Amino acid sequence: MKRNVTFLRALITSSLIFISFLSFSQSVDNEVIMNLGFERWVSDGPFKGEPEHWHGISSASGTYKGLLTKPQMEMSRITRPGSDGNYSVRLFPRSIFGVVVNGTFTNGRVNAGSMIPDNKEDNYAYTCRVSPDFSTPINIVPDSVALWVCFRAKEQSSEANFVAVVHGDADFRYSGPGYSSPQDSVCAVAGPCHFTRSSPANSNEFKWKRISIPFVKNYDVEPRYILFLFSTNKTAGGGSSKDELFIDDIELIYNKK
């Protein structure tokens, strides 16, 4: 009898360890799927010139997508200090008919519905659940997200922008604080985080900085997807066409409890 109880305890302990390991492994698998180091790039097809599972304005949807066919991102060999990888993302704005179109970068899809930059109802990033190219499943809310950025701007006061949203089973849209839909599908948010330039534009400096942002729980919603969004300026249409933002090695951090 004693031997059976001991065996049962050992079996339960092993099962709990396995479940814990499985949960953590799922989060690690998600990181691999997301191509968070930007080492894999698409060489042909509709997403040519974009990192696998990441997108910019050239693959946008919306009424004005035809005006935004020129890419506003490219593969860069300028990587963060100590990186084991070979590539980062270079994101940059363009001037179209005198209007600065911010460089925008997401693992979802950009919608270009208006030529008015601050029209947040029609210009946004979103998760498109029917397409694995524009949606990223996740089943655990990270404790925080860390990333490396090198922001080279013409104006010292310019600020680039980053936000990450974990949300439920919805085609979630985000264009800024107060402009997300459906709002009650938000599970947790990291940011928005605004950061000033690390180097002047057109200089020989490429200074990097590591940023860490905690996720703050919102509604009691089961996590189903995560949406990341970068912009070369926190203000739609802001900044200069000479600005550029380098992004490298995003990390989702899960604290062991």
Side-chain angles (χ1 to χ4, degrees):
M1 182 67 178
K2 185 176 181 180
R3 179 179 299 176
N4 290 339
V5 171
T6 302
F7 174 76
L8 183 59
R9 287 176 178 171
L11 181 61
I12 293 172
T13 301
S14 298
S15 298
L16 291 174
I17 292 173
F18 176 74
I19 291 170
S20 176
F21 174 76
L22 180 59
S23 297
F24 185 73
S25 295
Q26 288 173 332
S27 69
V28 172
D29 288 344
N30 278 330
E31 291 183 42
V32 172
I33 292 169
M34 288 184 220
N35 188 25
L36 297 180
F38 311 118
E39 293 302 304
R40 305 190 305 273
W41 288 71
V42 181
S43 58
D44 55 21
F47 307 131
K48 181 179 179 180
E50 296 181 333
E52 285 185 12
H53 205 70
W54 291 85
H55 308 285
I57 283 182
S58 60
S59 57
S61 61
T63 305
Y64 291 94
K65 65 180 182 180
L67 294 176
L68 304 172
T69 55
K70 290 185 178 180
Q72 290 183 231
M73 77 164 74
E74 66 181 13
M75 177 194 293
S76 171
R77 289 188 175 272
I78 299 171
T79 57
R80 59 96 171 172
S83 175
D84 294 329
N86 297 311
Y87 308 111
S88 69
V89 174
R90 176 179 176 261
L91 189 64
F92 50 93
R94 283 188 185 277
S95 180
I96 300 177
F97 303 131
V99 176
V100 175
V101 178
N102 292 351
T104 305
F105 184 58
T106 179
N107 62 322
R109 192 173 194 181
V110 176
N111 188 78
S114 173
M115 281 301 293
I116 301 173
D118 62 353
N119 184 339
K120 293 182 171 60
E121 298 293 336
D122 295 321
N123 299 329
Y124 51 83
Y126 67 104
T127 293
C128 181
R129 290 172 295 169
V130 298
S131 172
D133 293 314
F134 299 116
S135 59
T136 304
I138 194 170
N139 53 19
I140 304 171
V141 178
D143 290 281
S144 60
V145 56
L147 56 144
W148 286 83
V149 293
C150 172
F151 181 41
R152 289 158 46 90
K154 180 180 178 182
E155 302 296 334
Q156 189 171 359
S157 59
S158 290
E159 293 181 285
N161 181 64
F162 167 76
V163 68
V165 181
V166 177
H167 63 87
D169 194 11
D171 286 348
F172 177 75
R173 301 179 177 185
Y174 184 90
S175 56
Y179 292 90
S180 58
S181 176
Q183 181 61 39
D184 60 3
S185 72
V186 177
C187 178
V189 181
C193 174
H194 305 146
F195 46 94
T196 56
R197 74 181 189 183
S198 52
S199 301
N202 296 333
S203 72
N204 293 324
E205 291 183 346
F206 291 86
K207 292 183 179 179
W208 289 82
K209 55 185 174 182
R210 185 179 184 270
I211 298 172
S212 180
I213 312 119
F215 278 91
V216 178
K217 292 288 187 71
N218 196 332
Y219 292 93
D220 186 17
V221 179
E222 181 182 356
R224 297 292 299 275
Y225 297 91
I226 187 167
L227 180 70
F228 297 94
L229 176 62
F230 290 88
S231 177
T232 52
N233 199 282
K234 69 176 184 179
T235 303
S240 165
S241 58
K242 295 181 180 180
D243 298 344
E244 56 184 354
L245 173 62
F246 296 83
I247 310 159
D248 202 3
D249 288 343
I250 301 173
E251 181 184 6
L252 294 176
I253 298 170
Y254 302 85
N255 296 328
K256 295 182 180 179
K257 298 178 180 179

